[in-house]
Amino acid sequence: MSSITQTTPAPASVRRYRDYDQPLWKRVLLTREMAIIALLIVVVIVASMTVRGFGQPITLTYLILDVTPILLIALPMTLIMITGEIDLSVASVVGLSSVVTGVLTQGGMPFEIAALIALLVGGVGGAINGFLVTVVGLPSLAVTIGTLALFRGLAVGLLGTTAVTDFPEFWTDLAKAKLGTTGIPLVIIPFLVLLVVFAVLLHFTPFGRGIYAIGLSKETAAFSGVDVGRTKFILFVLAGLVSALAGIYYTLRFGSARGDNATGMELQVIAAVVLGGVSVFGGRGALHGVIAGVLLIGVLASALRLANVTSDVINIITGALLVISVVSSSFLAWLRTRRQAPGGKPRVEVSTAG
């Protein structure tokens, strides 16, 4: 008796975890994240050789000081985007926490208490986002566009066009302090601590596996026992808290609390996260790629500024890099699909049984 068995590959729309049929070295080295790290190394080498002053310790100092708020916010943003959601209000939370810190300090409250209250405000802002997304069921894009305007409006409304610049010298000096003669700012230490916490949370815990599962399929994740709503709510609260922390640092770094602090930073964060390999559709991404993406954008901007390139041109180059990154990711996904199904047609296996 003859039988014909038709094997049809999974449709391209079915999203799944990375295949593990490849050798470990391929799965580690031949990835989007490692490509970004390699590109970062190349850019650093080329800039050091061709851009005058780029290799100086002071350049490293200002580079790290400039990218630290983006690095901080990119940590929770990575987790949020892996679930398939987004938070556009993070920069407004930075501005609001900065203003809250400034107003309370100006009113005579000790800076430490004012900073704690600012952190609480950031957490509440994140909880509002999380509630509207997970309980009310609104799209995160629409919700966070609204809270972006709301939080920024509150920040500007509290201070108007004025600024608070009177902060304790101890804290402003600490925000810009360096580790000995290395040129590396001291602020890198709390960032590394948070990086370890988020890396363990995402890559080595059931909670992190649930984050990936939600990004791949909310229904499947819920069926597998993942509390989708609670997970997303926690992530939005974390984004609010870390954004508020970045706002406090931003205030001390520049010694100024203003309602327009960090305007537009949300786009820089999202660009770096996507460039670092996080899928805009969720389900894929890793923190080491995101960190490399943030540093790559920061290094490019720093080198181009030293080369007297205008900010408009820098924005064009950064935008082009992001577009190329997204397009190349989609193209590679299409190639993988073509390899799985040559000619785009189902494969047919013919077997004979007696």
Side-chain angles (χ1 to χ4, degrees), residues 78-96:
T78 299
L79 276 60
I80 288 175
M81 292 185 67
I82 289 176
T83 66
E85 304 292 351
I86 196 168
D87 188 350
L88 295 174
S89 69
V90 287
S92 296
V93 174
V94 171
L96 181 58

Side-chain angles (χ1 to χ4, degrees), residues 242-260:
V242 175
S243 297
L245 178 64
I248 295 168
Y249 164 75
Y250 196 99
T251 303
L252 296 174
R253 157 96 161 95
F254 294 102
S256 175
R258 296 173 52 92
D260 60 353

Side-chain angles (χ1 to χ4, degrees), residues 75 79 192-209 211-212 287:
L75 297 176
L79 276 60
L192 290 176
V193 171
L194 281 177
L195 174 60
V196 170
V197 171
F198 275 89
V200 170
L201 182 67
L202 178 62
H203 297 294
F204 301 101
T205 66
F207 183 83
R209 290 191 289 274
I211 290 173
Y212 283 105
L287 280 173

Side-chain angles (χ1 to χ4, degrees), residues 46-318:
V46 172
S48 300
M49 295 173 60
T50 60
V51 179
R52 183 178 180 182
F54 181 82
Q56 299 298 320
I58 192 171
T59 302
L60 175 64
T61 300
Y62 282 104
L63 172 63
I64 295 177
L65 289 174
D66 289 342
V67 302
T68 292
I70 301 174
L71 285 170
L72 288 170
I73 301 172
L75 297 176
M77 183 68 80
T78 299
L79 276 60
I80 288 175
M81 292 185 67
I82 289 176
T83 66
E85 304 292 351
I86 196 168
D87 188 350
L88 295 174
S89 69
V90 287
S92 296
V93 174
V94 171
L96 181 58
S97 64
S98 174
V99 166
V100 169
T101 303
V103 169
L104 294 179
T105 302
Q106 188 180 48
M109 183 176 291
F111 172 80
E112 295 80 2
I113 298 178
L116 288 175
I117 294 176
L119 283 175
L120 178 62
V121 169
V124 170
I128 292 173
N129 287 334
F131 175 81
L132 293 175
V133 171
T134 62
V135 178
V136 181
L138 299 175
S140 59
L141 179 63
V143 167
T144 56
I145 286 177
T147 52
L148 177 154
L150 172 63
F151 299 153
R152 183 66 68 182
L154 289 172
V156 174
L158 284 172
L159 271 183
T161 57
T162 61
V164 177
T165 58
D166 187 17
F167 294 100
E169 188 175 343
F170 170 79
W171 288 106
T172 54
D173 289 345
L174 188 64
K176 294 173 285 189
K178 292 176 285 188
L179 292 170
T181 59
T182 62
I184 300 175
L186 191 62
V187 70
I188 200 68
I189 294 178
F191 164 72
L192 290 176
V193 171
L194 281 177
L195 174 60
V196 170
V197 171
F198 275 89
V200 170
L201 182 67
L202 178 62
H203 297 294
F204 301 101
T205 66
F207 183 83
R209 290 191 289 274
I211 290 173
Y212 283 105
I214 293 170
L216 292 166
S217 171
K218 289 185 292 185
E219 293 76 16
T220 303
F223 184 76
S224 302
V226 177
D227 191 329
V228 175
R230 186 185 67 178
T231 300
K232 290 184 178 182
F233 183 84
I234 290 173
L235 295 183
F236 278 107
V237 172
L238 286 176
L241 288 170
V242 175
S243 297
L245 178 64
I248 295 168
Y249 164 75
Y250 196 99
T251 303
L252 296 174
R253 157 96 161 95
F254 294 102
S256 175
R258 296 173 52 92
D260 60 353
N261 275 356
T263 299
M265 185 179 287
E266 66 278 347
L267 299 181
Q268 295 175 286
V269 173
I270 293 170
V273 171
V274 174
L275 180 63
V278 175
S279 171
V280 293
F281 302 107
R284 186 187 185 283
L287 280 173
H288 63 283
V290 171
I291 300 306
V294 175
L295 293 177
L296 177 59
I297 292 177
V299 167
L300 276 174
S302 177
L304 291 172
R305 280 196 297 267
L306 288 172
N308 296 320
V309 176
T310 63
S311 59
D312 291 335
V313 175
I314 293 174
N315 290 334
I316 291 172
I317 294 174
T318 302

